[in-house]
């Protein structure tokens, strides 16, 4: 028997109603903030991600699902931001819409070692606001992320924010770190010794405790920020305070993607164990230009849906719908039943029947197992009279109704 690939998940019917709720809630909240949905392909040219996420990042080095054909290398998208900026430019949205607020819901793929909360196919609910560098937009985006969490009924999260500064500031920080590192190098974990060569900033948010201790001695606060970036960060913090949003400033927060500058943030939840980020995001002011577009500020974030569903939430599935279950007795009733089912469904009443030729007893059990609120029984006697028996499963009251009045009769209690 075939099995699913490690790190992928089947979302079975009993779980899918929570997924539908999380998605519907997100769409509702996005609409209040005037974000519109964008859907991009799950497959892109691999070089899009090399270029935007950074050739030395873990995602590009180790985690891309690559598909090689004769001339090209494609990748299953590991995240949404790069594809959305590609689409924004390819479809000239900077000319037609200018400042654009987009949201997306869909699968992402990373070839990671699977563990709790870490999958190879997972799902993002994300937002990208492209076309403004203003601090007020950072405040909107972070407050939107928090509003989503509140609407999902999630509490107990922590919002951590930092400013990486502009590309010049980031470079100054890299130089600083490189200067102070050599004497501590051997005390760092093997990964960080590698990062010291090709992605020194990532040492700052290494989770290894020994590395963390060393990091604390390396760097004090935000001394690398230029006056403009410092002002921007100050405005963001003040705006969040004004909205009553609790956050922690985390000077070691760098994030694993190269496109970030200025504000970065991460939202963690202690119930998650080692993979504790439920969502994260930040500014990427140079990405549009790096992909051949004009100089435009942009910021966004993404939540991992599987992780949102792992922490305590109120995202219970939709209440079971009211189902009408038709039981037919005999061939003539069976074919008449097809029309009746069609009539009910066209009137937006959920209706089903038995397709396994069950006995009356077996069909009643199936109706019960399906949570039917009404059972309809149609046999030869009823057919002759053009009637049908309607049984209310809660009260056990049964009555005979003219087939032509059936929809009206069933809609009465549905409308209450
Ligand atoms: P990211 O931090 O790589 O950011 O992913 C965002 C969220 O996706 C994480 O916080 C986590 O909840 C979830 N996630 C990531 N990897 C996995 C995995 N292997 N299994 C399960 N969940 C996972 C981004 O992808 C950026 N594009 C976010 C962004 C949007 N920044 C600006 N705009």
């Amino acid at each position: 028997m075939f099995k699913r690939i490690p790190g992928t998940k089947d979302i079975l019917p009993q779980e899918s109603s929570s997924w539908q709720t999380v998605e519907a809630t997100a769409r509702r909240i996005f609409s209040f903030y005037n974000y519109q949905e964008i859907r991009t392909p799950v497959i892109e040219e691999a070089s899009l991600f090399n270029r935007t996420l950074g050739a030395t990042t873990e995602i590009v080095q180790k985690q891309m699902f690559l598909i090689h054909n004769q001339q090209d290398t494609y990748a299953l998208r590991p995240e949404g931001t790069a594809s959305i900026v590609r689409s924004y430019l390819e479809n000239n949205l900077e000319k037609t819409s200018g400042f654009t607020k987009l949201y997306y819901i869909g699968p992402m793929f990373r070839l990671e070692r699977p563990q709790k909360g870490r999958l190879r196919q997972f799902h993002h609910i994300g937002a990208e606001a492209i076309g403004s560098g203003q601090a007020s937009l950072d405040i909107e985006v972070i407050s939107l992320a928090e509003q989503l969490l509140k609407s999902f009924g999630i509490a107990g999260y922590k919002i951590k924010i930092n400013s990486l500064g502009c590309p010049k500031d980031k470079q100054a920080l890299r130089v600083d770190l490189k200067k102070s590192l050599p004497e501590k190098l051997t005390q760092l974990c093997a990964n960080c010794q590698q990062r010291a060569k090709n992605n020194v900033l990532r040492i700052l948010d290494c989770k290894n405790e020994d590395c963390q201790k060393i990091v604390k001695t390396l760097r004090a606060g935000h001394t690398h920020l230029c006056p403009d970036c410092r002002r921007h960060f100050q405005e963001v913090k003040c705006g969040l305070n004004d909205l009553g949003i609790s956050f922690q400033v985390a000077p070691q927060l760098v994030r694993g993607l190269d496109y970030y500058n200025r504000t970065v943030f991460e939202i963690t939840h202690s119930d998650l164990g080692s993979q504790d980020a439920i969502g994260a995001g930040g500014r990427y002011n140079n990405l549009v230009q790096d992909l051949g577009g004009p100089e435009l500020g942009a910021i966004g974030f993404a939540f991992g849906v599987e992780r949102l569903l792992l922490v305590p939430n109120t995202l219970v599935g939709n209440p079971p719908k009211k189902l009408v279950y038709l039981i037919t007795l005999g061939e003539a009733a069976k074919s008449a039943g097809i029309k009746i089912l069609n009539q009910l469904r066209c009137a937006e009443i959920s209706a089903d029947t038995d397709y396994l030729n069950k006995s009356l007893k077996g069909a009643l059990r199936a109706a019960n197992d399906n949570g039917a609120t009404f059972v309809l029984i149609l046999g030869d006697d009823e057919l002759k009279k053009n009637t049908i028996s309607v049984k209310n499963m809660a009260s056990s009251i049964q009555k005979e109704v003219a087939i032509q009045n059936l929809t009206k009769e069933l809609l009465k209690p549905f409308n209450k």
Side-chain angles (χ1 to χ4, degrees):
M1 212 193 292
F2 286 110
K3 295 217 156 129
R4 65 195 150 74
I5 296 170
T8 63
K9 218 173 135 335
D10 297 312
I11 300 160
L12 297 172
Q14 63 267 30
E15 295 163 88
S16 62
S17 64
S18 309
W19 281 75
Q20 287 168 4
T21 313
V22 80
E23 290 169 7
T25 308
R27 288 179 200 284
R28 206 164 54 83
I29 302 300
F30 282 132
S31 78
F32 298 150
Y33 288 75
N34 196 26
Y35 283 68
Q36 287 180 307
E37 187 176 12
I38 184 165
R39 301 185 193 199
T40 59
V42 294
I43 187 166
E44 296 272 0
E45 277 182 44
S47 53
L48 171 69
F49 302 111
N50 298 354
R51 172 93 166 268
T52 54
L53 311 188
T56 58
T57 55
E58 266 171 38
I59 295 185
V60 168
Q61 295 232 309
K62 303 187 213 152
Q63 298 172 352
M64 296 248 275
F65 276 97
L66 296 174
I67 301 161
H68 301 281
N69 68 15
Q70 276 161 352
Q71 289 109 32
D72 306 300
T73 305
Y74 301 139
L76 294 182
R77 63 181 184 193
E79 59 106 54
T81 314
S83 309
I84 286 168
V85 174
R86 193 260 318 130
S87 170
Y88 176 85
L89 290 172
E90 189 175 346
N91 295 292
N92 292 317
L93 297 189
E94 89 282 12
K95 294 194 188 96
T96 51
S97 324
F99 177 61
T100 306
K101 302 206 282 191
L102 304 165
Y103 79 85
Y104 50 101
I105 299 178
M108 305 291 158
F109 305 85
R110 295 185 193 172
L111 197 52
E112 300 204 65
R113 200 163 38 80
Q115 64 177 84
K116 184 185 164 208
R118 189 162 72 187
L119 292 145
R120 290 177 168 178
Q121 177 178 339
F122 58 98
H123 295 76
H124 270 172
I125 289 180
E128 311 292 348
I130 307 175
S132 166
Q134 289 193 11
S136 49
L137 185 61
D138 305 38
I139 299 160
E140 171 175 297
V141 163
I142 297 172
S143 69
L144 163 60
E146 177 169 69
Q147 191 53 39
L148 283 167
L149 289 176
K150 284 187 177 160
S151 317
F152 301 149
I154 292 175
Y157 52 83
K158 272 198 193 121
I159 303 177
K160 297 178 192 160
I161 70 167
N162 190 24
S163 177
L164 300 173
C166 54
K168 272 193 189 153
D169 296 343
K170 277 173 81 177
Q171 187 50 26
L173 181 59
R174 273 189 208 103
V175 170
D176 245 27
L177 285 174
K178 285 205 163 162
K179 260 194 227 147
S180 43
L181 263 178
E183 65 250 40
K184 322 256 172 154
L185 207 56
T186 52
Q187 298 164 47
L188 295 171
C189 73
N191 269 344
C192 282
Q193 295 195 17
Q194 196 56 37
R195 287 173 181 143
K197 287 187 209 137
N198 55 25
N199 198 354
V200 71
L201 292 183
R202 285 310 315 267
I203 294 178
L204 293 178
D205 61 4
C206 176
K207 292 214 162 105
N208 181 305
E209 277 179 24
D210 294 333
C211 297
Q212 283 287 309
K213 278 186 207 146
I214 295 164
V215 160
K216 284 199 182 115
T217 67
L218 286 180
R219 187 171 164 247
H222 294 100
T223 47
H224 68 293
L225 295 184
C226 67
D228 271 356
C229 289
R230 201 168 297 179
R231 208 172 307 119
H232 182 96
F233 193 38
Q234 193 55 31
E235 262 185 71
V236 174
K237 288 185 286 183
C238 286
L240 294 178
N241 280 329
D242 287 347
L243 290 180
I245 295 174
S246 311
F247 62 90
Q248 282 174 4
V249 174
Q252 76 289 352
L253 180 66
V254 175
R255 310 265 307 116
L257 308 164
D258 277 4
Y259 54 58
Y260 289 118
N261 44 45
R262 287 203 164 167
T263 315
V264 284
F265 62 99
E266 190 170 76
I267 306 178
T268 56
H269 200 292
S270 56
D271 280 23
L272 278 179
S274 67
Q275 302 301 312
D276 64 352
I278 42 179
R283 266 208 171 273
Y284 46 93
N285 286 348
N286 297 87
L287 191 53
V288 179
Q289 208 177 13
D290 285 350
L291 289 182
E295 203 182 330
L296 288 176
I299 180 165
F301 67 84
F303 283 115
V305 181
E306 287 77 2
R307 294 190 191 175
L308 292 174
L309 293 173
L310 274 176
V311 301
N313 60 59
T314 54
L315 290 163
V316 282
N318 305 316
K321 56 178 176 294
K322 291 177 179 167
L323 180 76
V324 173
Y325 197 90
L326 172 69
I327 300 174
T328 54
L329 308 169
E331 284 309 307
K334 192 179 221 167
S335 63
I338 297 173
K339 272 200 207 139
I340 293 175
L341 281 177
N342 192 48
Q343 174 192 323
L344 297 180
R345 291 164 178 164
C346 291
E348 302 192 356
I349 296 172
S350 306
D352 205 355
T353 191
D354 160 47
Y355 289 103
L356 299 174
N357 278 336
K358 287 193 161 89
S359 64
L360 177 61
K361 202 167 148 204
L364 279 167
R365 198 175 309 123
N368 205 37
D369 293 348
N370 275 284
T373 36
F374 287 91
V375 168
L376 310 178
I377 301 172
L378 185 66
D380 289 340
D381 287 351
E382 286 89 353
L383 258 188
K384 266 186 225 144
K385 292 185 275 173
N386 253 326
T387 62
I388 191 161
S389 297
V390 179
K391 182 175 178 183
N392 181 324
M393 295 293 272
S395 64
S396 287
I397 294 172
Q398 187 165 326
K399 59 178 168 181
E400 218 169 299
V401 174
I403 290 180
Q404 61 183 28
N405 295 335
L406 179 64
T407 309
K408 210 162 44 172
E409 179 67 28
L410 288 171
L411 281 172
K412 269 193 222 158
F414 280 102
N415 283 337
K416 266 185 201 161

